[in-house]
Amino acid sequence: VHRLRSVDNLFVVVQEFKDYQFKENKEDALKDLEDLVKKLPWTDPLKVWELNNSLKKRKTKRKKHNPQSTASKEKLNDDGEEEGRDQKDASKQEDCAQNTAGVEPVSGRDTEETQGVASRNGGGEEEEDNEQSDAKDELQAGSGSETKAGDGKTSEGEAKVLKFRVTCNRAGDKHSFTSNEAARDFGGAVQEHFQWKADMTNFDVEVLLNIHNNEVVVGIALTEESLHRRNITHFGPTTLRSTLAYGMLRLCDPQPTDIIVDPMCGTGAIPIEGATEWPSCYHIAGDNNPQAVKRAANNICSLLKKNENKESSTSLGIPLDIVQWDICNLPLRTGSVDIIVSDMPFGKRIGSKKKNWDLYPACLMEMGRICTPGTGRAVLLTQDKKCFAKALSRMGHIWRKGQTVWVNVGGLHAAVYLLKRTWERAEEKRSFW
């Protein structure tokens, strides 16, 4: 499940309520949530949480060819730190060279904090490593002498109480309480029930309380940081999530030997995801902004480095090149490209809505020229839907609209359009060759 490419976060469901009746009065509604904690079937979900942590450890040991006995969990002072590091490597391999902030739910660092470190220093190898290891030591003290999943009481000896936090995501306008109040009261009841210690930043277990109108889902997080940060270490103002990039690429169904181009690649999220997941295709990325091209090149370099560490020999390289170019004048032969996948400027952080009125038709025209007639396809993401629809209607002879998928990009309601190239020949502007 950790290897799924289109999933941002994973959690195990403790219980789901399709039609939960909230009391009108705030105190009563919160009291109900508190009482709910005692009635929930915690045992199995906590076993899954434990399994999720131990699987990472086992994989590590196998990769390191160092079969340790389970007793080594107890020998914290000797190899606790080492174990922390190994685990980090395993999780990297697991999740396809993910951002160095790591995803193992055991690491117990607050999400925002790790993301901060990762984007501040392009991955924060050094700092991150030590923090991760310390966090592991704490946890292994907690789970090394495994707490029994159901009752949350630790066994004798040097066992430490697990630390936890509750995160509440609430949507809907018919609730008498805020998400903070729900998290506080629900968290209080969890603390009482398990005798765990509340800790907002250095937690071992994250309990999720998702409330959407009358739907309530209680879960336990299995990923500590969103899986979408897996390939990118240098972020730009509009870097696309790797998970969304993967979805867009899947939509155009790449076949071996296809040439896939992202003419407005920004920091390279789409082509990097493409080259990682579809290595039998050839990926070309380009942008007119030298800063973006530089960031994309840096992202490709860090990916190659990670691949190197993985095989612990020379890197095989990835089928991807990056070029600085002008989207309206691409240095590519007519009809030479199978697939175009791009995140077009929304006109918010980059460009403007006004510029899009000229840019979109010119883009579609040039993309139509380089794309193979009849079989070529394009998957384009934009939030400026009005402008895109107008541009597409002018280019109807070159592009036919297939399906439209609605997506939420950082709170913006955007659309992914699948376009099919018609058999119509596109007029040549000038020869490049």
Side-chain angles (χ1 to χ4, degrees):
V1 175
H2 275 281
R3 289 200 178 111
L4 290 172
R5 310 322 279 149
S6 55
V7 174
D8 275 0
N9 293 290
L10 301 173
F11 61 100
V12 52
V13 176
V14 177
Q15 199 165 357
E16 211 169 342
F17 302 92
K18 288 283 182 224
D19 190 23
Y20 187 93
Q21 295 305 314
F22 289 102
K23 300 263 170 61
E24 295 283 318
N25 176 332
K26 177 156 101 172
E27 278 68 34
D28 293 349
L30 290 169
K31 181 81 179 73
D32 275 2
L33 282 176
E34 273 184 54
D35 294 343
L36 189 59
V37 172
K38 295 188 199 68
K39 301 174 197 154
L40 292 170
W42 293 100
T43 312
D44 286 347
L46 277 166
K47 280 185 183 150
V48 173
W49 174 83
E50 265 172 27
L51 176 70
N52 186 58
N53 297 350
S54 65
L55 273 180
K56 291 263 158 70
K57 291 172 197 166
R58 226 174 293 156
K59 283 207 167 91
T60 306
K61 284 166 190 162
R62 199 170 60 238
K63 285 206 171 82
K64 292 278 172 189
H65 307 299
N66 181 11
Q68 294 161 311
S69 66
T70 46
S72 72
K73 275 192 200 164
E74 260 56 275
K75 287 196 326 226
L76 275 184
N77 300 343
D78 302 348
D79 67 1
E81 180 145 334
E82 195 47 50
E83 174 126 34
R85 286 221 167 94
D86 292 0
Q87 221 160 320
K88 184 158 172 277
D89 291 347
S91 108
K92 264 198 206 163
Q93 298 177 347
E94 264 295 81
D95 288 287
C96 182
Q98 178 157 3
N99 198 343
T100 49
V103 295
E104 60 271 52
V106 266
S107 79
R109 303 298 302 170
D110 185 10
T111 320
E112 284 98 58
E113 216 172 295
T114 41
Q115 287 183 349
V117 174
S119 40
R120 254 204 319 280
N121 53 16
E125 256 330 323
E126 308 308 319
E127 301 166 39
E128 201 58 13
D129 238 328
N130 306 333
E131 287 180 345
Q132 292 268 352
S133 314
D134 300 346
K136 296 290 184 330
D137 291 10
E138 274 170 41
L139 178 66
Q140 279 157 346
S143 69
S145 51
E146 297 290 358
T147 52
K148 284 288 163 283
D151 54 32
K153 293 182 181 51
T154 53
S155 56
E156 276 73 37
E158 66 346 323
K160 261 172 70 178
V161 180
L162 283 179
K163 296 178 187 168
F164 82 103
R165 80 167 183 190
V166 170
T167 306
C168 176
N169 300 306
R170 186 186 63 82
D173 43 15
K174 294 195 171 62
H175 308 127
S176 55
F177 50 85
T178 66
S179 51
N180 274 348
E181 290 166 335
R184 183 195 63 207
D185 291 20
F186 192 79
V190 169
Q191 187 170 13
E192 218 167 278
H193 184 63
F194 289 110
Q195 300 297 303
W196 289 344
K197 192 174 161 212
D199 191 325
M200 286 315 182
T201 52
N202 225 345
F203 53 88
D204 305 318
V205 187
E206 181 171 25
V207 178
L208 304 170
L209 177 61
N210 292 340
I211 300 171
H212 190 270
N213 295 323
N214 276 6
E215 226 178 284
V216 175
V217 180
V218 180
I220 297 172
L222 298 180
T223 43
E224 192 212 60
E225 189 194 38
S226 178
L227 298 179
H228 79 263
R229 296 169 65 89
R230 55 177 168 258
N231 297 330
I232 305 294
T233 47
H234 296 73
F235 290 83
T238 58
T239 299
L240 194 67
R241 290 173 167 236
S242 299
T243 42
L244 192 48
Y246 176 80
M248 287 170 68
L249 284 151
R250 277 244 348 226
L251 204 57
C252 54
D253 187 26
Q255 299 301 314
T257 74
D258 275 355
I259 292 176
I260 304 178
V261 171
D262 181 353
M264 295 177 273
C265 71
T267 49
I270 294 173
I272 286 175
E273 185 64 24
T276 312
E277 295 300 313
W278 285 273
S280 53
C281 298
Y282 187 67
H283 305 262
I284 305 173
D287 204 286
N288 66 344
N289 179 342
Q291 182 63 34
V293 173
K294 199 165 136 197
R295 283 190 184 129
N298 285 336
N299 281 327
I300 293 169
C301 286
S302 7
L303 192 62
L304 286 170
K305 274 203 191 91
K306 283 176 189 168
N307 289 355
E308 235 170 76
N309 299 346
K310 213 183 286 186
E311 274 86 49
S312 71
S313 62
T314 51
S315 172
L316 298 169
I318 47 175
L320 165 57
D321 266 324
I322 173 129
V323 193
Q324 187 178 337
W325 60 27
D326 167 14
I327 170 65
C328 303
N329 230 342
L330 298 173
L332 296 168
R333 284 186 187 172
T334 300
S336 63
V337 172
D338 299 289
I339 295 173
I340 294 169
V341 186
S342 203
D343 171 12
M344 300 183 71
F346 291 6
K348 292 205 180 277
R349 289 191 195 165
I350 288 182
S352 67
K353 298 269 188 199
K354 192 162 171 276
K355 283 187 186 150
N356 283 355
W357 285 99
D358 293 328
L359 177 69
Y360 280 19
C363 280
L364 285 172
M365 190 75 181
E366 184 66 346
M367 288 175 186
R369 181 187 71 78
I370 62 169
C371 216
T372 321
T375 57
R377 48 226 183 269
V379 169
L380 305 173
L381 164 71
T382 179
Q383 189 250 339
D384 197 348
K385 302 178 282 278
K386 194 166 139 196
C387 177
F388 188 83
K390 186 85 175 126
L392 194 58
S393 68
R394 280 168 58 187
M395 296 295 145
H397 59 295
I398 304 180
W399 292 110
R400 288 263 144 52
K401 193 168 80 169
Q403 70 193 100
T404 306
V405 181
W406 303 106
V407 290
N408 175 345
V409 182
L412 299 172
H413 183 56
V416 173
Y417 298 97
L418 173 61
L419 309 179
K420 299 272 172 65
R421 179 71 172 80
T422 63
W423 285 97
E424 183 95 9
R425 277 184 68 97
E427 54 274 24
E428 306 252 350
K429 278 197 227 148
R430 62 185 179 83
S431 171
F432 290 97
W433 304 93

